[in-house]
Amino acid sequence: MVATDGTERSTRTAPANAGVPAKPSLDGIEARWSAVWQDEGTYAFDRTAERGQVYSIDTPPPTVSGSLHVGHVFSYTHTDVIARYQRMRGREVFYPMGFDDNGLPTERRVQNYFGVRCDPSLPYDPDFTPPAKPGKEQLPISRRNFVDLCEQLTLEDEKGFEELWRRLGLSVDWSRTYATIDTGARAVAQRAFLRNLARGEAYLAEAPTLWDVTFRTAVAQAELEDRERPGAYHTLAFPRPDAAAEPVIIETTRPELLPACVALVAHPDDPRYQALFGQTVRTPLFDVEVPVVAHRLADPEKGSGIAMICTFGDLTDVIWWRELQLPARAVVGRDGRLVTEAPAAITSESGHGHYAELAGKTVHSARVRIVELLTESGALRGEPRPISHPVKFYEKGDRPLEIVTTRQWYIRNGGRDESLRADLRARGGELRWHPEYMRVRYENWVDGLNGDWLISRQRFFGVPFPVWYPLDAEGTPRHDEPIVPDEASLPIDPSSDVPPGYTAEQRGMPGGFAADPDVMDTWATSSLTPLIASGWESDPDLFARVFPMDLRPQAHEIIRTWLFSTVVRTHAEFGVLPWSNAAISGWILDPDRKKMSKSKGNVVTPMAILEELGSDAVRYWAASGRPGTDTAYDVGQMKTGRRLAIKILNASRFALGLTTDAASGGATSAGEGPAAQAAGIPPATPADAAAPAPRAARSMTAPVSEPLDRALLAALAEVVDAATTALDGYDYARALELTESFFWRFCDDYVELVKGRAYGSFGPAGADSARATLTVALSALLRLFAPVLPFVTEEVWSWWQDGSVHRATWPDAAEIRKLADGGRPELLDAVGAALSGVRRAKSAAKVSMKAEVAQARIAGDADTVALVDAAAADLRSAGGIQELTLDPTATGDLTVDVTLA
RNA sequence: GGGCGCGUAGCUCAGCGGGAGAGCGCUCGCCUUACAAGCGAGUGGUCGCAGGUUCGAUCCCUGCCGCGCCCA
């Protein structure tokens, strides 16, 4: 028969049984089914679906400059399980894939890979080719050449990623990929920025900024981390103007900032310093007069309770400087060295002399030298006292951050506006979190914001700000009058594109224009992934069908960055949440309970393990990890998954064999009995009717008459209900556990019990009942397993069903329950316990399980024994029991006394 | 320092007011025509510690100890 798409599919159309291989195997199923899914468009998004029918996913774009590790496999599997479940529930799943190629990690990788570095002052070289091997010295190249290399390398990386994802079986629509630096993403990032700017949510400000001196870029609060570092308290004496008065003693960990000192500060209630407030002191060495001021943030417990305020040693300095309106005397430059020119406040000759000793030195060297100078002058009291204290670092950097005053773009995020902060906090409350307790991470973060979101980065590979500045007659940029492009022209690069109303010759000329030199923070682009993937402003029809999205899956450590920033952007643009659900995955830990990360060198490459054990096995492990819970990398669990997959192959082969071996009653065509409905087999079409109907389907017209069969189906219906509830709550692990444990009972007890009857030992009615039950149960089990084990379930499905299991409907508990017709799940437990008792006796006697039992006597309470009695014939058959006696008079647990033959 | 999560069998983890569970491991057995990459049976835990609530606590409350993470 020819399938609807025109391809030959012999396994689906041959006479019964021919589709079931004699020796089923997992070998090669990943490649085989990935290709079929691709060819048949199994996961293609139907963009005619209405919004209510769509389930849309804001997939995390992995950073292509890194490599995928098992942590990715872990969390992406979780999302895929949900996607597959929703698809089977009848939702049209919008599941795109992005690649994050934007930003510093890519720059670093390109530098190392090609042995180059970006020098923006160089002109573009159209003939440039990178050296075959990176040389010792990094080759300086132009910005455009550098960006070309970034794009070249990330394209290769993307290919490798896609190959792995396909192998893993992600049900992504691969026709819908994006990269965070591609044309569409740049246009979205620039458009969103221009809208922020127009509404006043984006603004340019010259302000003290956390600065990484290695990368020479500003960094945002969200990218900070505290690291414990050794330091030392230095006790310094500040002389009073009245030389006779006692000097003021302060303690500082950063004596090199003494030339930047603008005041001393103590707590307003501190009795020790009441008399000093309003007075002045003079800085040692530099002899600058500074006031003693009061501020609540001065900690009376810390050091001597009085501190020096420098511009700027830390973020508290910035607060003091701003709130107390102190002058700026910056000494640390963007390169992390003390600037050449002494602050103007230093006027004395000796002050200049001392400063000259420090100028040009790194912060570290300056500290060493100033300690010597302070010691010589006598201002340093005692020895420095070593301490350990938290120091702020850029999370990707390895030198402490400095604070320098620079001009930067900011986006309002509630950090300086209580009403916006409250609104954004409320958005977090609106979002459904899985697991629920992850919400507090969001709230902690919002509550702790101390400023707006700084989005400028002084880097090369990123989305440029779509902004130029007019130059006045002296050639000085007018930062207060930025020139912006039309939205229609986006994306633009202001360093090569010319603003409206100007000519290219005017670039950099007085009266002309200059480009904003910076690029946006990667999060400024990543925060727009729901808009990039949905075709915001470029495909309004698609956008209306998929946005706001249903799900954001992501890791917990980027709630403050990715999740929060996305909420900020859509709140500003649309006044809505970007998605209704956030599923937060945990981390992968190595067997020593350490987080797996590249820097720890304990990362496992996923492709090897996928090839060794199969994708379903690895997915099984991933899906066993509870939502949000950190999970150990566990090869043993993967092996269990592989065994499960093999078991599904074998059990399916057997069950399908049982349902087709013996001649069966009716000759009706497939898909018309009630069991056929419950098994998910569609009604026959005219084309199908011409072909021989699989016998598996024929027996499904038979009624499920036996109590044991009804019990099995009743239990199955309960499992379907519970698994459905679990998946609706994003608890894929619970759903898997329920399905798996039912499946083992199905194999070990039910199938063993009905084997004889299904072969026809007790006549056609009993056989048909068993076969119908096996078929219904197998069909439902395959579909329950399908989201977690897409390959093996598709393989088995193809033996006897049309179409993909991944487009089949999710099992319907009500239909199964109807077939069960009042069957009692406890019957299965009771008969299972009886069978177990018989096995125990054989095991204890060390005889084969097929050994005959002369007599078995089963005692228990009347109800339980009656249940066993209802399946007595199957029990006798499965246990090889010649004489079965039932005693319904006992109390307590079922007991089984066995006399072997 | 504040917040959140977690401490249950040798290991990995479920359970979360009335019988302490699964998988792996280990022991013993079985070539049983679906499966020996299998099957059957068994072994194994004062459920972190100390109080409290309750007729009853692994489960709820309080405190403590340990581990992890987030935030300062």
Side-chain angles (χ1 to χ4, degrees):
Chain A
M1 188 176 87
V2 175
T4 49
D5 61 359
T7 57
E8 278 291 328
R9 278 185 287 175
S10 58
T11 53
R12 298 181 191 184
T13 55
N17 227 359
V20 182
K23 188 77 186 167
S25 157
L26 297 177
D27 290 345
I29 61 173
E30 287 89 355
R32 191 157 73 246
W33 288 112
S34 300
V36 170
W37 295 333
Q38 173 67 21
D39 292 348
E40 302 197 349
T42 308
Y43 310 124
F45 175 66
D46 172 7
R47 57 170 300 160
T48 65
E50 293 303 323
R51 180 64 191 88
Q53 215 187 318
V54 169
Y55 186 87
S56 48
I57 301 172
D58 183 19
T59 315
T63 307
V64 287
S65 50
S67 50
L68 291 177
H69 54 78
V70 286
H72 289 101
V73 165
F74 178 69
S75 57
Y76 281 73
T77 296
H78 299 162
T79 307
D80 188 55
V81 171
I82 297 299
R84 288 177 180 279
Y85 167 69
Q86 293 292 349
R87 198 177 284 114
M88 294 176 78
R89 293 282 278 173
R91 303 286 287 274
E92 189 57 33
V93 175
F94 181 72
Y95 189 7
M97 177 62 73
F99 297 104
D100 189 12
D101 41 16
N102 187 352
L104 191 56
T106 299
E107 285 187 23
R108 288 217 270 187
R109 179 158 145 76
V110 165
Q111 285 173 353
N112 296 332
Y113 189 91
F114 294 109
V116 297
R117 70 182 165 81
C118 182
D119 182 346
S121 68
L122 292 174
Y124 175 59
D125 174 2
D127 300 323
F128 173 76
T129 49
K133 268 189 178 173
K136 273 185 185 165
E137 294 285 306
Q138 288 187 335
L139 191 65
I141 60 173
S142 76
R143 174 170 167 155
R144 193 163 148 198
N145 287 122
F146 188 83
V147 170
D148 283 349
L149 290 181
C150 289
E151 286 171 347
Q152 183 185 324
L153 193 59
T154 52
L155 216 60
E156 271 179 45
D157 290 338
E158 285 173 21
K159 272 188 255 163
F161 276 36
E162 182 173 334
E163 191 193 340
L164 182 75
W165 288 144
R166 284 180 182 274
R167 170 121 199 159
L168 180 63
L170 295 190
S171 61
V172 159
D173 182 346
W174 287 105
S175 70
R176 299 189 176 277
T177 57
Y178 67 85
T180 55
I181 198 68
D182 69 19
T183 307
R186 291 204 309 276
V188 167
Q190 293 186 335
R191 182 181 297 115
F193 170 80
L194 291 176
R195 301 246 179 126
N196 289 137
L197 180 60
R199 290 190 297 260
E201 294 145 6
Y203 62 91
L204 194 61
E206 184 162 12
T209 308
L210 284 157
W211 187 267
D212 186 287
V213 299
T214 306
F215 298 114
R216 300 210 187 167
T217 183
V219 300
Q221 185 187 354
E223 295 169 302
L224 302 187
E225 63 184 35
D226 283 349
R227 296 184 198 162
E228 204 62 27
R229 282 290 179 275
Y233 269 129
H234 301 72
T235 306
L236 303 185
F238 281 59
R240 311 278 303 272
D242 172 6
E246 276 294 301
V248 180
I249 304 297
I250 67 115
E251 304 211 17
T252 180
T253 57
R254 303 207 56 184
E256 72 279 12
L257 294 181
L258 185 58
C261 176
V262 291
L264 299 189
V265 66
H267 195 276
D269 301 334
D270 194 325
R272 293 169 291 182
Y273 301 108
Q274 293 300 321
L276 272 177
F277 293 139
Q279 306 282 306
T280 63
V281 295
R282 302 193 80 86
T283 57
L285 299 180
F286 304 102
D287 197 31
V288 174
E289 183 169 18
V290 296
V292 179
V293 296
H295 194 279
R296 65 186 190 287
L297 289 182
D299 183 357
E301 304 293 316
K302 207 167 157 185
S304 52
I306 187 165
M308 69 172 179
I309 302 174
C310 304
T311 53
F312 298 94
D314 61 27
L315 291 174
T316 315
D317 279 343
V318 177
I319 296 169
W320 283 328
W321 169 78
R322 189 185 299 130
E323 295 192 4
L324 300 169
Q325 301 186 320
L326 298 164
R329 265 164 222 162
V331 295
V332 177
R334 297 185 182 199
D335 56 358
R337 292 172 183 274
L338 268 62
V339 295
T340 322
E341 285 288 310
I346 299 175
T347 52
S348 71
E349 200 176 316
S350 67
H352 275 285
H354 289 135
Y355 188 81
E357 297 251 13
L358 307 176
K361 282 191 160 57
T362 63
V363 165
H364 177 77
S365 309
R367 184 179 305 166
V368 172
R369 183 61 188 137
I370 202 167
V371 167
E372 292 167 359
L373 295 172
L374 286 164
T375 306
E376 287 164 20
S377 75
L380 183 70
R381 299 292 172 88
E383 289 294 308
R385 291 182 289 117
I387 56 159
S388 175
H389 63 152
V391 178
K392 295 215 180 300
F393 281 74
Y394 173 39
E395 60 189 357
K396 295 186 170 70
D398 42 30
R399 290 167 73 186
L401 291 170
E402 293 296 340
I403 297 171
V404 302
T405 295
T406 52
R407 182 177 293 101
Q408 308 281 348
W409 284 103
Y410 293 83
I411 289 180
R412 299 184 198 281
N413 67 355
R416 308 184 63 168
D417 173 350
E418 281 310 320
S419 134
L420 178 56
R421 188 196 300 260
D423 289 348
L424 290 169
R425 202 179 195 283
R427 290 277 177 231
E430 221 179 297
L431 185 60
R432 290 196 291 276
W433 297 77
H434 312 282
E436 164 65 34
Y437 61 75
M438 289 294 178
R439 182 196 315 278
V440 301
R441 306 237 178 161
Y442 177 96
E443 291 169 348
N444 279 352
W445 175 250
V446 175
D447 294 347
L449 286 169
N450 58 26
D452 282 331
W453 174 17
L454 191 164
I455 58 165
S456 303
R457 293 295 179 276
Q458 287 66 47
R459 306 303 308 169
F460 320 112
F461 189 57
V463 179
F465 284 91
V467 168
W468 302 267
Y469 305 102
L471 299 178
D472 66 15
E474 280 77 49
T476 306
R478 294 290 310 269
H479 288 111
D480 53 339
E481 292 177 8
I483 310 165
V484 298
D486 285 340
E487 281 194 14
S489 65
L490 301 178
I492 63 137
D493 180 354
S495 67
S496 54
D497 295 316
V498 175
Y502 289 84
T503 63
E505 291 69 38
Q506 289 177 281
R507 183 181 298 274
M509 307 302 286
F513 69 92
D516 187 299
D518 293 344
V519 299
M520 295 183 203
D521 169 16
T522 58
W523 296 113
T525 308
S526 301
S527 60
L528 299 164
T529 52
L531 305 187
I532 295 168
S534 303
W536 177 52
E537 294 289 320
S538 63
D539 189 343
D541 177 74
L542 177 67
F543 189 69
R545 294 174 198 278
V546 303
F547 184 88
M549 302 180 98
D550 290 275
L551 176 64
R552 157 62 70 83
Q554 64 160 79
H556 52 66
E557 82 272 20
I558 52 173
I559 289 173
R560 64 175 179 168
T561 47
W562 194 33
L563 193 148
F564 175 65
S565 64
T566 310
V567 171
V568 168
R569 302 309 287 279
T570 46
H571 175 78
E573 187 63 38
F574 307 101
V576 298
L577 268 181
W579 352 259
S580 42
N581 293 276
I584 309 297
S585 59
W587 279 335
I588 295 311
L589 309 175
D590 70 11
D592 296 331
R593 313 288 314 162
K594 295 273 177 358
K595 183 194 172 189
M596 276 202 181
S597 70
K598 255 186 298 185
S599 57
K600 294 195 172 67
N602 57 0
V603 171
V604 179
T605 37
M607 195 51 113
I609 196 77
L610 288 176
E611 284 171 354
E612 185 190 340
L613 295 172
S615 297
D616 283 341
V618 177
R619 291 174 62 104
Y620 171 87
W621 158 74
S624 307
R626 252 68 198 171
T629 306
D630 294 347
T631 301
Y633 180 75
D634 185 351
V635 175
Q637 185 72 352
M638 296 179 198
K639 288 183 175 165
T640 302
R642 183 173 175 84
R643 278 183 209 123
L644 174 63
I646 292 170
K647 188 78 177 178
I648 289 171
L649 283 181
N650 287 316
S652 301
R653 177 170 102 84
F654 184 62
L656 291 173
L658 281 178
T659 58
T660 53
D661 273 350
S664 173
T668 40
S669 61
E672 284 171 8
Q677 264 187 358
I681 294 179
T685 63
D688 287 335
R695 290 189 198 168
R698 270 184 226 159
S699 58
M700 276 185 286
T701 60
V704 176
S705 52
E706 289 294 317
L708 175 63
D709 301 341
R710 291 179 170 181
L712 188 274
L713 293 180
L716 174 62
E718 288 183 355
V719 169
V720 170
D721 274 337
T724 304
T725 303
L727 281 163
D728 281 339
Y730 294 82
D731 193 348
Y732 40 80
R734 175 88 186 132
L736 171 59
E737 188 188 13
L738 289 161
T739 304
E740 188 188 6
S741 92
F742 179 80
F743 174 67
W744 285 109
R745 280 215 298 162
F746 171 75
C747 290
D748 295 343
D749 292 346
Y750 178 75
V751 171
E752 292 300 328
L753 282 163
V754 298
K755 243 182 209 175
R757 177 154 57 87
Y759 274 130
S761 321
F762 311 133
D768 281 347
S769 176
R771 290 171 191 154
T773 305
L774 285 166
T775 310
V776 169
L778 181 63
S779 168
L781 280 164
L782 289 173
R783 285 177 285 154
L784 289 170
F785 276 130
V788 175
L789 309 173
F791 293 101
V792 72
T793 52
E794 186 76 317
E795 173 77 11
V796 172
W797 197 255
S798 76
W799 295 345
W800 62 306
Q801 303 267 32
D802 280 328
S804 171
V805 70
H806 303 299
R807 284 283 181 177
T809 56
W810 188 249
D812 183 335
E815 281 188 11
I816 295 169
R817 200 165 275 128
K818 210 185 298 170
L819 282 177
D821 197 22
R824 293 173 61 191
E826 312 89 89
L827 189 154
L828 195 62
D829 300 329
V831 186
L835 181 60
S836 183
V838 174
R839 286 168 172 161
R840 191 179 303 119
K842 292 180 182 179
S843 193
K846 302 191 178 181
V847 298
S848 160
M849 284 299 144
K850 70 179 178 188
E852 288 286 299
V853 169
Q855 195 187 27
R857 177 191 160 82
I858 292 167
D861 65 80
D863 186 50
T864 309
V865 169
L867 290 172
V868 176
D869 194 19
D874 290 332
L875 179 60
R876 273 199 300 272
S877 165
I881 301 166
Q882 290 160 2
E883 191 189 337
L884 179 64
T885 319
L886 297 169
D887 176 4
T889 60
T891 53
D893 290 344
L894 206 72
T895 60
V896 182
D897 293 313
V898 172
T899 311
L900 291 166

